[in-house]
Amino acid sequence: MPELPEVETIKNELLPRVRGHRVSDVTLSWEGIARQPGADEFRSRLVGRKITGITRRGKYLIISLDSDDLWVVHLKMTGSLIIKPDGAEPPQHTRAVIRLDNGTSIFFRDPRKFGVMQLVKDKSTIANKLGPEPLTREFTPRLLAQRLAQRTAPIKALLLDQSLIAGIGNMYADEALFAASIHPLRSGSSLSPEEIERLHHAIQKVLKAAVNSKGASVDTYFRPDGTIGTAHFSFKVAHGKGKTCPRCGAPIERMVVRNRGTYLCPRCQK
DNA sequence: CCCGGAACCTGAAGGC
DNA sequence: TGCCTTCAGGTTCCGG
């Protein structure tokens, strides 16, 4: 599942292969992938444009063009962007193909059709709904404490709330809570200053390590060249069916929090 | 505003 | 072997 480290990797690896090139054709094999505007206008506003840069905000890719449009991509759970030369066999479940003028195409594959693309005029339409970026200097223990104060929801649910912190998904929420020895059902307001400090450190540590490993390929995540990331090989608890705790040896448990599978060490996480 | 649950979607996995 | 059910989860929407 693309979360911050996966989207960051895609951004970094896509950028040198697309920057400065023009979109020569857009094929939408599933029109619903163009959330806004509709399929026809999406095509006409994208074809002919030159890609000038890519940034990431939360789990969104924001691709800038030589027009006043920003091309926004969200891969949701199962989406990936694969670059292949013209004439190559499209990956299975390809929903859109963006052909470039350099002899390659970007294939947006997405088995579950959750992924979306939009053209927007203003980055703030996306950025305004999102909390701080956890890997910037802006994200401090103090800011985290402010944002968790008065919150009665379980910390696991709060970490998944993109308006609270942007970019954390199910896997890295579990990893960060394990690294901080905090039980996923603890309420936000119940965390002590020391625990918030630990959690802040754990979030940054876990996300940075995953970026360095080019993301985690637990499901259908692929890098733009089709290879996998290796962050999941270092997971302590996430997707840990049958694993034992690397710290105390207790069996990793699975529970459901807010309809999300949640893995934890019941002995280490209090 | 805050919280929790359902819906969206389809392939994989498990039960019988 | 095959049909059926359940599960996976990022975001958005809705009811309380």
Side-chain angles (χ1 to χ4, degrees):
Chain A
M1 286 117 263
E3 305 179 21
L4 185 153
E6 289 74 30
V7 181
E8 179 72 14
T9 300
I10 292 167
K11 181 206 73 177
N12 290 340
E13 299 187 349
L14 209 50
L15 186 57
R17 304 183 66 165
V18 304
R19 180 163 44 190
H21 297 295
R22 255 174 224 290
V23 175
S24 57
D25 195 25
V26 173
T27 308
L28 304 179
S29 41
W30 181 64
E31 293 200 343
I33 200 165
R35 167 169 291 182
Q36 67 166 227
D40 291 342
E41 194 185 335
F42 183 89
R43 274 178 45 88
S44 63
R45 273 160 63 178
L46 195 50
V47 170
R49 299 277 61 87
K50 185 194 283 183
I51 295 174
T52 56
I54 311 181
T55 58
R56 178 193 58 74
R57 181 75 173 90
K59 302 171 193 169
Y60 291 86
L61 280 174
I62 302 173
I63 304 165
S64 52
L65 306 167
D66 65 345
S67 62
D68 58 358
D69 279 320
L70 294 169
W71 171 20
V72 176
V73 176
H74 199 301
L75 299 168
K76 297 289 178 82
M77 294 168 51
T78 57
S80 44
L81 298 177
I82 307 292
I83 293 239
K84 288 182 170 234
D86 288 344
E89 182 76 8
Q92 206 184 0
H93 310 301
T94 291
R95 309 303 184 189
V97 183
I98 289 80
R99 187 169 176 181
L100 304 179
D101 65 2
N102 66 345
T104 68
S105 294
I106 306 171
F107 294 84
F108 191 154
R109 74 174 291 270
D110 186 13
R112 253 169 262 180
K113 292 185 172 176
F114 276 34
V116 290
M117 299 192 285
Q118 314 171 236
L119 293 174
V120 302
K121 299 292 181 195
D122 189 350
K123 195 185 266 189
S124 66
T125 56
I126 288 145
N128 286 353
K129 296 179 297 188
L130 297 175
E133 284 291 324
L135 293 184
T136 61
R137 200 170 288 149
E138 171 203 10
F139 180 65
T140 58
R142 185 195 168 99
L143 178 62
L144 180 61
Q146 280 171 9
R147 310 216 106 204
L148 294 179
Q150 321 290 113
R151 301 294 298 261
T152 59
I155 184 64
K156 169 70 187 276
L158 294 171
L159 289 178
L160 297 180
D161 181 348
Q162 301 301 296
S163 68
L164 201 123
I165 311 170
I168 300 175
N170 203 39
M171 304 181 295
Y172 297 109
D174 284 357
E175 287 300 307
L177 287 171
F178 174 78
S181 303
I182 294 170
H183 196 284
L185 289 179
R186 292 278 301 283
S187 73
S189 60
S190 76
L191 299 186
S192 70
E194 292 73 23
E195 287 173 323
I196 289 176
E197 188 97 28
R198 288 209 309 264
L199 182 56
H200 173 270
H201 181 253
I203 289 168
Q204 294 200 323
K205 188 182 76 169
V206 160
L207 293 178
K208 276 182 199 165
V211 170
N212 288 336
S213 302
K214 314 296 182 196
S217 291
V218 293
D219 196 358
T220 57
Y221 162 74
F222 295 99
R223 293 157 62 185
D225 65 0
T227 63
I228 63 168
T230 57
H232 53 297
F233 295 131
S234 311
F235 281 174
K236 306 286 194 288
V237 293
H239 297 270
K241 237 179 287 183
K243 282 188 194 171
T244 56
C245 173
R247 205 179 287 148
C248 78
I252 296 303
E253 258 179 28
R254 179 182 188 273
M255 62 189 303
V256 175
V257 181
R258 272 286 247 294
N259 283 328
R260 294 290 170 263
T262 298
Y263 295 90
L264 70 152
C265 172
R267 208 191 291 173
C268 292
Q269 293 176 251
K270 299 298 180 192

